[in-house]
């Protein structure tokens, strides 16, 4: 099984495309090469495949990167399933992971939520989607400053608060306050729960 994230940038028409698209490309290049592992297409849509273990962490890395840009947000559909056909271009690959992710993104555009998951197990979907709806009440309201801190923590899990304070030219107490406001410890626990539930598929 693999995970496929299909997403689109919210409010992309009101932002400098070159800035966010360069940052998103740089992030996705950390995880694999285009167009086999990821691709940005139709201006503001993207698709990315990864292991099921890391999908929640990858989702958060993308979310925090985009939320750290002014006036931007991102909608993402996580599909878990098989890859029955692997093409040189991810957008031409196929399987239940791709179908689940692509159809789900259309549903998200209609229901107003910014993230959801679809697997082959309805009970797992129900549990994880309730979790994602609650979590998104936080994620969707991150300030740019909070999103920046979260992104650094996700991408550099060994980084200390002292290092973060130097990187952002703020005090360590300010870093600590931002992490508390973002419920970072709860995010880590949520990732562990997410991995456990998906491993049961």
């Amino acid at each position: 099984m693999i995970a496929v994230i299909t997403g689109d940038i919210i409010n992309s028409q009101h932002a400098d495309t070159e800035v966010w698209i360069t940052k998103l490309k740089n992030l996705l290049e950390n995880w694999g090469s285009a167009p086999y592992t990821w691709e940005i297409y139709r201006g503001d849509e993207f698709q990315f495949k990864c292991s099921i273990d890391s999908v929640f962490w990858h989702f958060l890395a993308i979310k925090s990167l985009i939320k750290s840009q002014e006036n931007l947000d991102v909608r993402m559909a996580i599909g878990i399933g098989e890859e029955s056909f692997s093409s040189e271009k991810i957008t031409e690959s196929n399987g239940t992971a791709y179908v689940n992710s692509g159809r789900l993104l259309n549903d998200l555009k209609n229901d107003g939520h910014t993230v959801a998951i679809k697997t082959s197990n309805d009970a797992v979907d129900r549990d994880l989607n309730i979790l994602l709806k609650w979590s998104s009440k936080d994620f969707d309201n991150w300030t740019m400053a909070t999103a920046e801190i979260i992104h650094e923590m996700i991408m550099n899990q060994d980084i200390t608060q002292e290092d973060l304070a130097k990187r952002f030219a703020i005090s360590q107490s300010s870093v600590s306050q931002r992490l508390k406001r973002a419920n970072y410890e709860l995010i880590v626990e949520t990732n562990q729960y997410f991995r456990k539930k998906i491993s049961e598929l």
Side-chain angles (χ1 to χ4, degrees), residues 138 142-143 145-146 174-184:
D138 259 359
W142 281 340
T143 63
T146 298
S174 294
V175 170
S176 178
Q177 285 168 5
R178 286 186 193 179
L179 290 173
K180 279 181 183 169
R181 275 199 302 272
N183 297 309
Y184 183 72

Side-chain angles (χ1 to χ4, degrees), residues 97-178:
Y98 296 92
V99 173
N100 287 342
S101 182
R103 287 180 180 166
L104 189 57
L105 184 64
N106 290 330
D107 293 343
L108 283 175
K109 289 176 181 177
N110 294 328
D111 72 17
H113 292 111
T114 56
V115 64
I117 187 168
K118 175 82 175 108
T119 74
S120 58
N121 186 308
D122 290 343
V124 169
D125 290 354
R126 186 186 63 244
D127 291 351
L128 290 182
N129 279 313
I130 288 171
L131 182 72
L132 287 171
K133 282 177 185 175
W134 276 111
S135 302
S136 291
K137 290 189 175 296
D138 259 359
F139 305 156
D140 291 348
N141 290 307
W142 281 340
T143 63
M144 289 171 63
T146 298
E148 281 180 337
I149 288 276
I150 292 295
H151 188 71
E152 287 297 323
M153 290 291 286
I154 290 168
M155 299 304 293
N156 306 286
Q157 290 175 50
D158 296 329
I159 199 167
T160 65
Q161 290 193 13
E162 290 87 351
D163 290 337
L164 282 170
K166 287 175 189 168
R167 187 165 297 187
F168 291 108
I170 56 177
S171 67
Q172 187 189 335
S173 62
S174 294
V175 170
S176 178
Q177 285 168 5
R178 286 186 193 179

Side-chain angles (χ1 to χ4, degrees), residues 75-88:
R75 187 168 21 234
M76 283 180 275
I78 301 168
I80 306 289
E82 304 295 332
E83 181 179 53
S84 57
F85 174 71
S86 178
S87 171
E88 290 179 2

Side-chain angles (χ1 to χ4, degrees), residues 182-200:
N183 297 309
Y184 183 72
E185 288 184 7
L186 187 57
I187 289 172
V188 173
E189 287 182 40
T190 303
N191 178 47
Q192 292 165 347
Y193 177 78
F194 211 89
R195 291 176 65 168
K196 180 177 180 297
K197 291 296 288 185
I198 288 180
S199 72
E200 295 169 3

Side-chain angles (χ1 to χ4, degrees), residues 24-91:
L24 182 58
K25 282 181 177 178
N26 290 340
L27 175 63
L28 294 172
E29 280 170 0
N30 285 322
W31 302 329
S33 56
Y36 177 70
T37 304
W38 61 270
E39 194 168 3
I40 298 171
Y41 56 96
R42 288 202 295 217
D44 63 357
E45 295 192 8
F46 62 91
Q47 194 162 59
F48 162 66
K49 67 177 176 180
C50 62
S51 73
I52 60 173
D53 261 4
S54 60
V55 67
F56 184 75
W57 222 228
H58 285 317
F59 149 71
L60 274 182
I62 296 169
K63 179 77 170 182
S64 56
L65 177 81
I66 299 300
K67 287 289 288 182
S68 66
Q69 313 303 304
E70 193 169 10
N71 297 323
L72 287 185
D73 203 344
V74 59
R75 187 168 21 234
M76 283 180 275
I78 301 168
I80 306 289
E82 304 295 332
E83 181 179 53
S84 57
F85 174 71
S86 178
S87 171
E88 290 179 2
K89 291 183 70 173
I90 186 173
T91 49

